[in-house]
């Protein structure tokens, strides 16, 4: 599919697809999953229970605007990453990459472009501070598992733009960068506790998992860049 061509959308229904002309891709998803992304993008959690009129009827979308081309490219790139992962590693990419979230967000913006509300400038400083506090508390309580920005948006009921602004004002970085700091601090504290004998012996891979890292190499790289020493070397000082 290239610029100037069209995408087809079908609301929940039974259907058969026949195509004897060209290759194509059919993406299936739960309507609720799409509504959750629309609510997150709009910064209004109440929208997750309402089906926009654009999603009630089958229709085609002509991809001829620059923003649509970018969204389509994001979808196709995510699908290529998944395909390559299955081909090379024989397994799906790590959940932390949130490729499903990227695909669904892009689909949501293609189907319901007006859901992208720039509401951050209308929030009071008190509301934004409370939203950031709630987001921080929730992310700290869920460090051990992968967390997507969509989940955080739905939890606090504010858009991605609002959260980015609130975190930037509060801690000087975005929510996912702040989350990475918390994971590394938790990992450093846990390794220090193991090295001093105050905690049961765990492997670096187990520590990484407990801090929400799906990849040991990513944990080791990030840890080394922040603390100047690989986690394995720090752990080797255990008494």
């Amino acid at each position: 599919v290239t610029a100037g061509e069209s995408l087809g959308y079908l609301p929940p229904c039974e259907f058969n697809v026949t195509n004897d002309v060209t290759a194509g891709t059919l993406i299936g998803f739960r309507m609720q999953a799409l509504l959750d992304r629309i609510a997150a993008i709009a910064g209004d959690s109440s929208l997750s229970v309402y089906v926009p009129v654009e999603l009630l009827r089958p229709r085609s979308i002509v991809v001829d605007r620059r923003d649509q081309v970018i969204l389509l490219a994001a979808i196709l790139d995510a699908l290529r990453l998944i395909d390559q992962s299955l081909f090379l590693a024989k397994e799906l990419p790590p959940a932390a990459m949130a490729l499903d979230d990227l695909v669904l967000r892009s689909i949501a913006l293609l189907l319901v472009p007006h859901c992208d509300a720039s509401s951050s400038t209308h929030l009071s400083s008190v509301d934004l501070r409370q939203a950031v506090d709630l987001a921080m508390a929730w992310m700290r309580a869920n460090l051990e598992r992968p967390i997507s920005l969509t989940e955080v948006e739905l939890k606090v009921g504010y858009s991605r733009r609002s959260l980015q602004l609130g975190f930037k004002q509060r801690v000087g970085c975005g929510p996912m960068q702040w989350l990475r700091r918390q994971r590394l601090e938790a990992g450093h504290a846990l390794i220090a506790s193991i090295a001093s004998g105050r905690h049961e012996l765990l492997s670096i891979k187990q520590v990484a998992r407990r801090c929400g890292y799906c990849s040991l190499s990513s944990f080791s790289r990030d840890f080394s860049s922040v603390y100047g020493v690989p986690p394995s070397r720090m752990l080797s000082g255990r008494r």
Side-chain angles (χ1 to χ4, degrees):
V1 180
T2 58
E5 297 189 86
S6 63
L7 302 175
Y9 166 73
L10 290 173
C13 63
E14 292 186 9
F15 60 87
N16 293 314
V17 176
T18 301
N19 182 2
D20 57 3
V21 180
T22 62
T25 300
L26 182 66
I27 302 175
F29 49 85
R30 293 182 298 108
M31 176 65 79
Q32 188 57 55
L34 188 65
L35 294 178
D36 288 344
R37 269 65 181 190
I38 290 172
I41 293 170
D44 185 351
S45 58
S46 67
L47 294 180
S48 64
V49 298
Y50 298 107
V51 181
V53 65
E54 293 93 336
L55 303 182
L56 296 176
R57 57 182 176 82
R59 61 194 177 96
S60 61
I61 302 171
V62 178
V63 182
D64 56 2
R65 299 198 315 267
R66 183 173 181 275
D67 61 321
Q68 293 175 317
V69 173
I70 291 173
L71 290 169
L72 179 58
I75 294 172
L76 296 178
D77 285 345
L79 295 179
R80 289 189 190 99
L81 281 173
I82 295 170
D83 185 59
Q84 284 296 306
S85 181
L86 289 170
F87 178 74
L88 296 174
K90 310 303 181 186
E91 61 183 29
L92 288 169
M97 292 181 69
L99 295 179
D100 56 339
D101 185 55
L102 171 61
V103 169
L104 281 171
R105 278 179 167 272
S106 300
I107 290 174
L109 288 169
L110 279 169
L111 295 174
V112 192
H114 59 79
C115 72
D116 186 13
S118 302
S119 58
S120 59
T121 57
H122 303 293
L123 294 174
S124 72
S125 58
V126 174
D127 289 340
L128 198 52
R129 187 164 57 251
Q130 291 177 342
V132 170
D133 286 342
L134 177 59
M136 286 180 169
W138 184 80
M139 285 192 282
R140 284 195 185 100
N142 290 274
L143 283 182
E144 293 187 8
R145 69 174 185 82
I147 295 174
S148 71
L149 193 49
T150 293
E151 289 182 280
V152 183
E153 291 172 295
L154 290 173
K155 187 67 181 177
V156 302
Y158 285 112
S159 70
R160 183 166 297 196
R161 284 195 184 95
S162 301
L163 285 173
Q164 294 284 4
L165 175 62
F167 270 81
K168 189 72 173 178
Q169 292 175 346
R170 182 76 170 274
V171 293
C173 66
M176 302 315 287
Q177 290 76 24
W178 178 86
L179 177 61
R180 174 176 166 271
R181 289 182 191 171
Q182 305 311 301
R183 294 193 194 285
L184 291 173
E185 287 178 7
H188 185 273
L190 181 54
I191 291 175
S193 182
I194 295 171
S196 65
R198 293 178 309 198
H199 193 285
E200 63 177 310
L201 181 61
L202 297 173
S203 67
I204 297 300
K205 184 175 183 179
Q206 289 174 313
V207 172
R209 293 283 185 182
R210 290 198 179 192
C211 298
Y213 271 83
C214 295
S215 166
L216 174 58
S217 60
S218 295
F219 175 71
S220 297
R221 183 191 64 242
D222 291 348
F223 191 97
S224 299
S225 67
V226 172
Y227 296 106
V229 60
S232 56
R233 186 181 301 172
M234 181 176 173
L235 187 61
S236 66
R238 181 177 183 269
R239 293 196 295 268

